[in-house]
Amino acid sequence: MEPAGVRPARRGTVVAVWAVAVGSAVCVAAAVPPAVVNWRTLGPGSVYVVNALVGVLVPPAGAFVLARRPGHRIGLVLLSAAGLGVSFLALSWADYALRSRPGALPGAEWAALVAGATWTPFLALITLLPLWFPDGRPAGRFWTVAERVLLVVLVAVPVLSLLEPRVALGLAANPLVTGPRWVTPLVEGLVVGCVFAAAFVCVPAAVVTYLRGDDGERVRLRWFLLAAAVVAASMFVPGPPVSDVLTGLALGLAALAITVAVVRHRLWGVEPALHRTLVFGTVALCLLLVYVGVVGLADRVLPEGAALLGAATVALVLAPLLSRVKRMARTLIHGDRDDPYAALTRLAERLEANLDPEDVPGAALAEVRTALRVPYVALRVHDGQADGSGGECGTESVLGRRPGDGRAVETVPLLHQGTPVGELHVATRRPGEPLTARDQVLLADLARPLAATVQAAVLRSELRRSREALVEALERERRRLRADLHDGVGPSLAALVLALDGIAHAARGADPARAVPDRVDAVKSEVRDVIGELRRIVDALRPPALDELGLAGALDRYLTTFRHTDSAPRFVVESGLDGTTLPAAVEVAAYRITSEAITNVLRHAAAGRCSVRLTLDGPRLCLEIEDDGAGGAAPGGGTGLASMSERARSLGGTLEVLPGVPTGTLVRAVLPVGGARSGG
């Protein structure tokens, strides 16, 4: 969709403007052989490199602007720089025929006359561009007056140049007409006035536009003001050819700044045209440099064939150079959407590195942002931990600033084996412009390996957390055992020692036959208490009923203690294990989860019936405790449910708390039992 007000030019206009840009480059290329001879004969001051560089770099920018906005002022100024390509050819021709090889070429005076009249678009570039950028209008009333004066001067300079009495810097008489002597100093004064107007009137106009503009205009003008500063600085560099080269490149940078403003902010919405312009300008400049270098070297050995050798070299390097520049231009403008394989390869190389789980999101976001050339990307990873509300909490990594200028942020789900593991959030490049179909395809291609890597990083994080939880649980268990032994068994054993001392003392007394048996009976009672305490501690580690009766029998025995209680519900154990021997850790976890769930039922449910179901589903044990009570339990509601959930996760299982049907609560735990064996 084109922005409002954009009206593509007719085919004839497009062909015409691009013909002008190509013609300028052809003129520069044709002028290289005589320019090389002039350089060697007359010195670098005789070759106006700035005209050559501007004639190659700037007209293509004007061509693509005018192709979409016929008659646009900025496009006309940029395209007028083709006059400098013509001027470079005419100046090289005139110097060659008048000074380097006098009489070797015809029409030297006419070439000098053309050169003096066609270089003046340089003045338009340094004055009108800062005055009109970005929308082709002056910044205010004062600059409107300045604009009219400058337009008069820019028309007067080439016209007066045709009336100068001598041309080619005074080396030849004007072949058209012999004008008065005051014309030459008048032209020089007007040129100097334009230079001063550019520095003190036109560039300040761009600054005023920047200060008055909104954020979008300011971003566009930053590029342009940077280029204008470089142009101004280059003019103070003394001596050709360095000053000419810097000025020419700076003006090319100014043209590029305009194209950057166009593509980055949709001023004219012509990314394809910009792509062609960048390709054309870069290839033309590179070929020009190759041509100049080859002709300059060959002129020393084979002067007559230097131009032919240069043309042959250009023909040889054209195809590979064009292919390489096209790829670079596509990557610069569109990112990697035209080469998804490169983006996937780069992402795979980054993710294959031995990264910590915390570093994976940042590395992935950097590659996605580079591939799509977007200002903001974010990755939200589900870490699989229950958050108290039954959902999943997650971590978020962000690269760039979330846009607040109307740009949309599109969300791409990351799925691994059909399970959501995270989300990728990508902002569009510009306000009001969604990501293209190619962008969506590239995002989908990037999402697949990214989802697998994110899942691996999540599993590594969970494994590390599980190890830490296991170490912590072992330490808690050690502390509990130490406390039980120290506070329970220890004092009891110390009391036994004292009791035995009492027996020994009684045995040495006056009536040992009567005193000793009484004391022995007391010691026996204390020993029984110690044995009971030790049994309690051992049972807490692993209930002996599991070894004697199996999981189903142990649970049935455990529930027997509540069956004769009037307020307890009716308990039922339904087992589908059929004598299967389960791993010891699974039996203990299932037993403890059930006992904790039964405790919750007794305390809170007010249920009439509670069933415990044990079934095997392949390599998993499914444990369900369901009651018909009041319901209302949820994960995170107390330490008991958190402990049950932690026991399930420590074995790689899951635990859910669901509403019963029609009332009550259902606790379902699924535990892996890879080592289970059939008892049959």
Side-chain angles (χ1 to χ4, degrees):
M1 181 181 295
E2 300 291 350
V6 173
R7 178 173 54 86
R10 294 181 179 179
R11 185 176 183 83
T13 302
V14 175
V15 172
V17 296
W18 280 103
V20 172
V22 173
S24 177
V26 170
C27 289
V28 172
V32 170
V36 171
V37 176
N38 295 338
W39 187 297
R40 294 180 53 198
T41 305
L42 307 174
S46 63
V47 180
Y48 292 90
V49 181
V50 63
N51 292 13
L53 293 175
V54 174
V56 170
L57 298 176
V58 178
F64 95 74
V65 171
L66 291 174
R68 302 299 292 179
R69 293 287 294 271
H72 195 281
R73 286 182 164 191
I74 291 179
L76 291 173
V77 173
L78 294 174
L79 188 64
S80 71
L84 277 80
V86 176
S87 177
F88 181 67
L89 174 60
L91 278 173
S92 301
W93 185 296
D95 269 338
Y96 185 88
L98 291 174
R99 295 195 289 173
S100 297
R101 304 287 189 271
L105 293 175
E109 294 82 2
W110 288 99
L113 182 67
V114 172
T118 55
W119 75 275
T120 52
F122 176 84
L123 300 176
L125 293 176
I126 64 175
T127 56
L128 296 181
L129 279 183
L131 193 65
W132 285 344
F133 189 81
D135 55 9
R137 296 191 304 271
R141 182 177 301 177
F142 170 78
W143 286 279
T144 300
V145 176
E147 169 199 45
R148 294 171 182 173
V149 174
L150 283 172
L151 290 175
V152 172
V153 172
L154 292 174
V155 173
V157 169
V159 172
L160 292 174
S161 298
L162 297 176
L163 302 178
E164 291 188 76
R166 298 191 66 81
V167 292
L169 301 178
L171 296 179
N174 190 330
L176 180 64
V177 63
T178 302
R181 293 179 178 274
W182 54 263
V183 173
T184 299
L186 177 59
V187 171
E188 293 174 353
L190 292 176
V191 171
V192 173
C194 285
V195 173
F196 276 95
F200 298 106
V201 177
C202 300
V203 172
V207 174
V208 170
T209 303
Y210 176 85
L211 295 176
R212 294 177 178 175
D214 55 21
D215 291 340
E217 287 184 340
R218 288 186 176 184
V219 173
R220 287 181 285 177
L221 281 163
R222 282 174 197 156
W223 287 89
F224 183 79
L225 289 174
L226 174 63
V230 175
V231 173
S234 67
M235 293 183 178
F236 293 96
V237 177
V242 177
S243 61
D244 288 351
V245 171
L246 290 179
T247 303
L249 293 177
L251 285 169
L253 177 63
L256 179 61
I258 294 174
T259 61
V260 169
V262 169
V263 69
R264 294 289 293 175
H265 296 277
R266 307 301 289 178
L267 186 58
W268 294 298
V270 283
E271 287 185 2
L274 174 64
H275 176 265
R276 291 191 293 269
T277 301
L278 292 178
V279 171
F280 174 82
T282 305
V283 170
L285 179 60
C286 293
L287 293 180
L288 174 62
L289 296 176
V290 170
Y291 188 67
V292 170
V294 172
V295 171
L297 294 174
D299 187 65
R300 299 175 180 270
V301 182
L302 189 64
E304 294 80 5
L308 181 61
L309 183 60
T313 305
V314 167
L316 289 176
V317 303
L318 175 60
L321 177 64
L322 183 62
S323 176
R324 182 64 177 263
V325 172
K326 281 183 177 179
R327 288 197 302 269
M328 293 174 61
R330 281 198 303 266
T331 302
L332 177 64
I333 298 174
H334 304 297
D336 290 322
R337 73 182 188 190
D338 292 329
D339 190 7
Y341 179 76
L344 290 171
T345 301
R346 193 167 58 247
L347 178 62
E349 290 174 351
R350 288 292 301 274
L351 296 181
E352 283 177 358
N354 189 18
L355 299 174
D356 290 335
E358 293 80 4
D359 298 333
V360 169
L365 291 183
E367 291 303 326
V368 172
R369 190 182 187 189
T370 300
L372 290 170
R373 295 292 192 275
V374 293
Y376 166 85
V377 287
L379 177 64
R380 181 175 177 82
V381 178
H382 301 165
D383 61 14
Q385 288 184 300
D387 66 355
S389 63
E392 289 184 333
C393 58
T395 57
E396 187 173 32
S397 299
V398 177
L399 188 60
R401 180 178 297 178
R402 190 177 184 91
D405 55 0
R407 303 185 200 188
V409 177
E410 300 194 14
T411 301
V412 180
L414 300 180
L415 302 177
H416 180 66
Q417 297 180 348
T419 302
V421 297
E423 295 173 348
L424 185 63
H425 304 275
V426 180
T428 58
R429 298 184 183 89
R430 285 165 289 276
E433 177 193 357
L435 295 177
T436 65
R438 287 186 177 182
D439 293 331
Q440 299 286 0
V441 171
L442 178 57
L443 265 178
D445 291 338
L446 294 174
R448 283 188 285 270
L450 184 57
T453 306
V454 166
Q455 177 67 3
V458 169
L459 292 177
R460 288 177 62 183
S461 297
E462 290 182 351
L463 177 60
R464 184 170 61 188
R465 286 197 300 267
S466 297
R467 288 174 176 172
E468 293 172 353
L470 178 61
V471 171
E472 184 179 352
L474 289 174
E475 289 300 321
R476 286 199 306 267
E477 192 67 14
R478 289 191 181 102
R479 286 196 298 267
R480 186 187 66 81
L481 286 173
R482 179 182 180 277
D484 289 346
L485 293 173
H486 180 273
D487 299 337
V489 177
S492 298
L493 292 176
L496 286 175
V497 171
L498 294 176
L500 291 174
D501 288 340
I503 292 174
H505 180 73
R508 294 190 294 269
D511 191 8
R514 189 176 64 181
V516 168
D518 293 339
R519 293 179 179 271
V520 169
D521 290 339
V523 170
K524 286 182 179 179
S525 177
E526 292 183 7
V527 170
R528 292 190 187 95
D529 292 340
V530 172
I531 293 173
E533 181 68 14
L534 288 174
R535 182 175 290 116
R536 184 187 65 79
I537 294 174
V538 172
D539 289 349
L541 296 177
R542 175 177 173 84
L546 290 174
D547 297 323
E548 300 170 5
L549 306 173
L551 179 59
L555 291 176
D556 189 69
R557 174 182 288 183
Y558 172 74
L559 294 175
T560 299
T561 59
F562 305 109
R563 288 187 173 120
H564 303 293
T565 303
D566 295 337
S567 60
R570 184 166 60 89
F571 290 105
V572 178
V573 177
E574 303 173 7
S575 174
L577 300 183
D578 297 329
T580 302
T581 302
L582 301 173
V586 174
E587 287 184 330
V588 172
Y591 187 90
R592 298 302 185 198
I593 290 173
T594 303
S595 62
E596 186 65 41
I598 295 301
T599 299
N600 289 337
V601 170
L602 293 173
R603 288 179 179 175
H604 310 294
R609 185 180 187 277
C610 179
S611 62
V612 178
R613 292 187 291 272
L614 299 168
T615 57
L616 280 177
D617 180 13
R620 294 181 296 273
L621 169 67
C622 183
L623 168 65
E624 294 181 336
I625 303 98
E626 185 175 15
D627 66 77
D628 58 358
T639 57
L641 290 174
S643 174
M644 294 159 60
S645 179
E646 179 61 31
R647 286 186 182 276
R649 283 204 306 271
S650 67
L651 296 178
T654 60
L655 185 134
E656 297 177 289
V657 179
L658 306 171
V661 179
T663 60
T665 302
L666 170 64
V667 177
R668 177 186 291 125
V670 178
L671 307 176
V673 290
R677 300 185 303 275
S678 175

